[in-house]
Amino acid sequence: MFYFDYTYLVYVLPAILLAFWAQFKVQSTFKKYSSVMSMRRMTGQEAARRILDANGLYNVKINRVAGELTDHFDPRTNTVNLSESVYDNCSVAAIGVAAHESGHAVQHAVGYAPIKLRAAIIPVTQIGSNLAIPLVFIGLLLSYVELAYLGCIFFATATVFQLVTLPVEFNASNRALAALEDTGILGSEEIKGSRKVLSAAAMTYVAALAVSLMQLLSLLIRVSGRDRD
């Protein structure tokens, strides 16, 4: 049967705790540097516009979206979407986040390979995520190990997605920090604050990969154990 066992406690739970810590860290770091206003008093929207224009991306629109830390770049609409806590905020935290999302727009424009790969595997990942656990459950329930292994393969697609996401996010942050310096949007001391915010955000993606890897390992141990029975 598909039941809770030691593999979850030993492998998955520590990764989940890491994910909670990473989420707390990014929120607390963003809050801290949201109170540090940039000397130029440039808003997140204005910083994003300057970076996009500096890269010739005049056609990329910048939208305001609801929520906090809901910022994202949408390649389907070619828009940079900034949350309410970033769009009109002049803090080094907001500017760093806005620059990061602009970095994704630049990646998309120049054909950065990892972001193209991530976009290409999204449909497969969505299917795999929906089918993985049911297939493992049914396979173990019916002692049909091959079906359970197929579920593990489907789950692995989600892990691959998390793995591909890492270089995409780190590269976007590197592009953002370089752009903030090159355009003079932030001074050297201010960039340090933005870097800390982006570094904390990057840890959430590392934690997400760790959770996915540990869940996959837990599933494989469980299925292989049934295979030996």
Side-chain angles (χ1 to χ4, degrees):
M1 293 182 63
F2 194 83
Y3 54 87
F4 175 85
D5 63 13
Y6 80 94
T7 61
Y8 190 91
L9 184 63
V10 173
Y11 298 107
V12 182
L13 185 57
I16 291 177
L17 293 175
L18 173 63
F20 278 122
W21 174 84
Q23 192 61 38
F24 167 78
K25 185 67 175 178
V26 70
Q27 290 177 343
S28 61
T29 305
F30 181 82
K31 182 178 180 180
K32 176 181 178 180
Y33 287 99
S34 286
S35 63
V36 181
M37 297 295 111
S38 66
M39 289 187 297
R40 288 180 174 272
R41 288 297 191 272
M42 186 177 290
T43 66
Q45 185 273 337
E46 291 170 338
R49 184 74 270 159
R50 177 169 294 189
I51 292 172
L52 293 171
D53 290 351
N55 286 274
L57 302 181
Y58 308 104
N59 61 320
V60 177
K61 295 183 179 180
I62 304 172
N63 298 327
R64 184 202 305 266
V65 293
E68 182 173 281
L69 296 178
T70 51
D71 313 87
H72 63 282
F73 168 70
D74 190 341
R76 297 168 300 179
T77 58
N78 202 28
T79 57
V80 170
N81 302 282
L82 302 179
S83 64
E84 295 170 346
S85 57
V86 169
Y87 191 94
D88 287 322
N89 198 311
C90 301
S91 69
V92 297
I95 290 173
V97 171
H100 175 88
E101 299 309 330
S102 300
H104 284 311
V106 175
Q107 289 175 334
H108 180 68
V110 301
Y112 180 62
I115 200 171
K116 292 173 64 177
L117 175 60
R118 187 174 70 169
I121 65 176
I122 284 177
V124 177
T125 300
Q126 292 174 334
I127 295 173
S129 298
N130 291 330
L131 294 179
I133 299 302
L135 288 176
V136 173
F137 178 82
I138 295 172
L140 294 179
L141 185 66
L142 302 179
S143 297
Y144 190 3
V145 179
E146 289 79 7
L147 186 62
Y149 274 124
L150 179 61
C152 291
I153 293 173
F154 277 125
F155 191 90
T157 62
T159 304
V160 171
F161 177 82
Q162 296 293 347
L163 180 62
V164 174
T165 293
L166 283 186
V168 173
E169 296 300 329
F170 279 101
N171 179 265
S173 290
N174 290 336
R175 290 176 186 270
L177 295 171
L180 291 175
E181 183 176 9
D182 293 342
T183 57
I185 294 174
L186 293 180
S188 58
E189 289 300 314
E190 294 174 321
I191 288 177
K192 291 180 181 179
S194 291
R195 179 178 287 107
K196 289 182 179 180
V197 171
L198 296 182
S199 295
M203 278 303 301
T204 63
Y205 296 102
V206 173
L209 175 60
V211 170
S212 188
L213 282 171
M214 292 302 100
Q215 288 178 324
L216 178 59
L217 178 60
S218 177
L219 290 175
L220 287 171
I221 291 174
R222 197 170 296 185
V223 174
S224 62
R226 179 60 60 86
D227 194 14
R228 291 193 296 270
D229 292 343

